[in-house]
Amino acid sequence: MRIPRKSTTTDRAALSTGLAAAVAPASVEVMPRMLRVGDGYAATLVVTGYPAEVGPAWLEPLLSWPGRLDLALHIDPLPAPVAASRLRTQRARFESSRRADSGRGKLPDPAVEAAADDAADLAERLARGAAKLFRVGLYLTVHARTEDELLEACAQVKAAAASTLIEVQPATWRHLAGWTTTLPLATDSLQMRRTMDTAALAAAFPLASADLPAPLPGDPPTEGGVLYGVNSDSGGIVWWDRWAQENHNSVVLARSGAGKSYFVKLEILRNLYQGVQIAVIDPEDEYLRLADAVGGAVVRLGVAGVRVNPLDLPAGDTRPDVLTRRGLFLHTLTSVLLGQQPPPAERAALDRAILAVYRTAGITADPATHHRPAPLLRDLAATLDGDADPAARQLAVRLAPWIEGSFSDLFDGPTTTRPEGHMVVWSLRHLPDELRTVGTLLALDSIWRDVDTPGRARMATRRLVVVDEAWLLMRDGEGARFLCRMSKAARKRHAGLTVITQDVADVLGTDLGQAVVANAATQVLLKQAPQAIDAIGDAFGLTVGERRLLLAARTGQGLLISGTNRSSFEAISSDAEHLLCTTRPAEVAALDEEEADDL
């Protein structure tokens, strides 16, 4: 065995020299007002004036400045005897000034009075041990590629500091010392300090950041997640795992044309890579190109020959209350068809008719009978019409348009398709406006029956349900209740619900809409209209800066909120993803023309 020799001083010096050669810039040129470090420029600003009072995260305007900025905070604790002596001397000066002004008959100086009161309060807290004093130096080094960019960047940093009453001055002729002061060397070469107490210093911690927080020391590293975009403030990436949150729901609110569908399609595509099964309710055929590219299935409600029987029982579900659950959904569907909840007499008649129509079809609470063909909506109406109760006959008359009238095409036969696969899109484009709310509810019911079916294999599969233009359902009371119940129960089925809407009032203006938002651990806000920004700001607790961001945001730029964590981001995509997600008419027309030429 070979015994390694002991390292010598020469070896350590060589190692240190090699490390410095690897990380140090190629050259440093010192100028009066800046430094040239390698191929860039840098200037150091020294904080010389502080506000009289500071709040939590008072350094946030500087830390969130969208540029390269190194901030160094040097802290040196003062021994208690030295702190008490200096504070006593300072108080004596204040008292001397006050007595001198009083002796000359001058009015008291408000600044001196305020400083004397603060000093007396600090002395009292220092004597009780409730506070300590520190010598603090705060320095900022701004980096840029050219001299002109550096001058502009320094002006922006000064403006950001002035917004919180912080005064900064350039370290003229001392920029080299300032630059080394802001390097991670724990050396303050400028020694321009200010005395602070514990409360003021603690308000600077934890240092705010424009990026989402990383795992705490000792916590296991995070796995999974998808790329949401690039942080527009810090330049870092925004990587988010909705499946690791308290629940898997999300809500996307934005005005028309802000990039809602584009962002959601990117999230869908990146979740498909991880084996997540996707179901989409698509009112405007915006997801068909994506579904075709990934081999998904499309159900076009409203097209001739496509029918959905709302009385179908879930296949493979052997729970004893399956029939009861189906009856409750038929009550919800009837309320949506009629536009309001029926009177108590009609609801009682409907409940009797539901049980009777299933008995006539040979279906009972026994799961062994659930494989038999389900009755149709017209059978339910015929049962109501044959009831001796006038309320039942009245309800049958009110359901006539969906049985044999203008809206009957969707219900006048057994279900024609039962889509399965890793992505299913329910298209509502061909439905008339009067039937879109009903179509959304039928699609959600079919999706939920698949999600809610018990079984270990199904529970092991993550499912994402996307409801685009959710205002179609939220404007109806019973439909909103169904969506609210789904948002609360999805997590227990290993599913997530994504609600997308451009009509903020329909979501935030009702208790049910607010419940849907409250049950979404992931909240995404894109560009907002000025008329809606106040409601959005109050509901999500947005700061003035965040409101300005949402008002001036570009397409695809917005804010990610999850509890106390929030980060601005801009959705980014590859060229291939862009072709699948874009909805710009000119680009879609060009793609359609290319596909036609290929055929």
Side-chain angles (χ1 to χ4, degrees):
M1 178 183 294
R2 182 179 180 181
I3 302 176
R5 64 185 181 89
K6 184 182 295 184
S7 62
T8 63
T9 304
T10 304
D11 296 332
R12 289 193 294 271
L15 178 62
S16 177
T17 303
L19 179 62
V23 302
S27 62
V28 178
E29 181 182 350
V30 182
M31 293 176 280
R33 300 184 182 277
M34 64 187 70
L35 295 177
R36 184 169 185 176
V37 183
D39 57 353
Y41 293 82
T44 299
L45 303 176
V46 181
V47 176
T48 58
Y50 295 82
E53 296 183 0
V54 294
W58 55 278
L59 293 179
E60 192 271 340
L62 297 175
L63 293 170
S64 62
W65 179 71
R68 183 183 173 188
L69 175 68
D70 297 334
L71 186 148
L73 188 66
H74 291 266
I75 305 170
D76 186 13
L78 280 175
V82 176
S85 175
R86 292 184 180 182
L87 190 57
R88 186 165 49 250
T89 302
Q90 189 69 16
R91 291 184 65 194
R93 291 174 181 172
F94 289 142
E95 186 63 25
S96 175
S97 298
R98 295 166 68 177
R99 291 186 179 183
D101 290 342
S102 178
R104 296 188 183 98
K106 294 183 178 180
L107 293 175
D109 186 348
V112 174
E113 294 288 334
D117 292 341
D118 290 342
D121 177 67
L122 180 58
E124 182 181 354
R125 289 189 288 118
L126 192 65
R128 294 199 310 264
K132 293 183 179 180
L133 294 185
F134 302 85
R135 296 285 292 170
V136 178
L138 184 57
Y139 312 101
L140 315 168
T141 297
V142 186
H143 298 265
R145 293 175 296 180
T146 64
E147 291 187 35
D148 293 338
E149 290 182 4
L150 181 62
L151 294 176
E152 183 179 356
C154 288
Q156 293 177 2
V157 172
K158 288 182 180 180
S163 67
T164 55
L165 303 180
I166 296 176
E167 183 181 351
V168 297
Q169 297 294 338
T172 306
W173 286 109
R174 302 185 67 188
H175 286 287
L176 179 59
W179 177 56
T180 58
T181 297
T182 56
L183 292 176
L185 302 176
T187 301
D188 186 357
S189 303
L190 294 177
Q191 292 293 323
M192 299 183 69
R193 303 291 187 91
R194 172 70 176 266
T195 303
M196 289 189 186
D197 65 334
T198 308
L201 185 58
F205 295 91
L207 296 176
S209 172
D211 291 315
L212 294 170
L216 295 174
D219 290 348
T222 58
E223 299 179 357
V226 299
L227 176 67
Y228 270 31
V230 175
N231 190 314
S232 51
D233 291 332
S234 67
I237 64 171
V238 178
W239 190 274
W240 188 250
D241 186 6
R242 66 185 295 164
W243 305 101
Q245 308 310 312
E246 294 87 351
N247 61 66
H248 316 317
N249 301 332
S250 69
V251 59
V252 182
L253 303 179
R255 66 184 299 177
S256 177
K260 302 184 301 297
S261 299
Y262 190 95
F263 163 74
V264 172
K265 280 183 275 190
L266 285 176
E267 186 184 20
I268 287 174
L269 189 58
R270 292 162 184 172
N271 271 283
L272 284 170
Y273 297 149
Q274 301 183 5
V276 179
Q277 293 191 4
I278 311 292
V280 182
I281 298 178
D282 181 11
E284 297 296 336
D285 283 359
E286 294 182 291
Y287 298 79
L288 300 189
R289 186 182 301 277
L290 177 60
D292 181 66
V294 301
V298 179
V299 181
R300 291 180 170 84
L301 299 180
V303 174
V306 177
R307 301 180 183 86
V308 177
N309 181 16
L311 281 78
D312 283 339
L313 297 179
D317 192 345
T318 58
R319 287 176 292 184
D321 61 343
V322 170
L323 199 58
T324 303
R325 292 171 179 266
R326 186 71 342 208
L328 294 175
F329 171 74
L330 290 174
H331 278 276
T332 300
L333 176 66
T334 303
S335 298
V336 174
L337 292 177
L338 301 179
Q340 61 181 359
Q341 195 174 67
E346 292 185 7
R347 291 204 303 271
L350 176 63
D351 198 63
R352 291 195 305 270
I354 291 172
L355 297 176
V357 76
Y358 276 114
R359 282 197 304 268
T360 303
I363 299 175
T364 63
D366 185 2
T369 64
H370 293 176
H371 67 281
R372 296 172 180 172
L376 304 176
L377 190 61
R378 61 169 174 260
D379 299 326
L380 179 62
T383 304
L384 285 169
D385 191 53
D387 196 317
D389 189 349
R393 296 178 182 177
Q394 178 64 26
L395 182 58
V397 172
R398 297 177 67 185
L399 290 175
W402 290 271
I403 306 303
E404 53 189 13
S406 304
F407 306 143
S408 62
D409 292 344
L410 189 60
F411 308 101
D412 63 353
T415 301
T416 56
T417 178
R418 300 183 185 275
E420 293 183 356
H422 55 278
M423 182 173 182
V424 177
V425 176
W426 293 79
S427 169
L428 310 180
R429 179 69 178 271
H430 301 281
L431 285 175
D433 292 341
E434 294 79 5
L435 279 179
R436 289 205 172 188
T437 301
V438 179
T440 302
L441 181 62
L442 291 175
L444 271 178
D445 171 63
S446 180
I447 295 169
W448 184 248
R449 280 185 288 172
D450 186 50
V451 170
D452 191 43
T453 301
R456 182 174 301 178
R458 289 184 178 273
M459 288 295 292
T461 304
R462 294 182 297 181
R463 301 172 186 272
L464 180 60
V465 182
V466 178
V467 184
D468 205 344
E469 302 298 348
W471 61 269
L472 291 171
L473 200 60
M474 295 302 296
R475 65 185 179 183
D476 182 89
E478 290 300 322
R481 289 187 183 89
F482 186 88
L483 194 63
C484 183
R485 290 194 297 269
M486 189 173 181
S487 69
K488 293 180 179 180
R491 180 187 63 84
K492 299 177 182 178
R493 277 78 174 175
H494 209 188
L497 175 66
T498 296
V499 176
I500 313 167
T501 185
Q502 63 186 12
D503 199 332
V504 177
D506 282 341
V507 176
L508 300 181
T510 64
D511 293 340
L512 292 173
Q514 293 178 8
V516 171
V517 173
N519 280 285
T522 303
Q523 301 163 350
V524 177
L525 306 178
L526 302 180
K527 185 177 179 67
Q528 301 294 325
Q531 296 81 0
I533 193 63
D534 289 338
I536 289 285
D538 295 341
F540 293 92
L542 302 182
T543 64
V544 176
E546 291 168 343
R547 298 186 190 210
R548 288 199 298 264
L549 168 67
L550 296 181
L551 287 174
R554 300 186 298 271
T555 301
Q557 186 179 19
L559 194 64
L560 169 65
I561 301 175
S562 180
T564 58
N565 301 324
R566 52 187 64 200
S567 173
S568 61
F569 75 97
E570 183 171 2
I572 58 172
S573 61
S574 65
D575 293 339
E577 289 175 326
H578 177 75
L579 294 178
L580 296 178
C581 300
T582 183
T583 55
R584 293 179 179 174
E587 294 181 349
V588 173
L591 291 172
D592 292 340
E593 185 176 350
E594 290 180 5
E595 293 176 358
D597 293 340
D598 293 339
L599 294 176

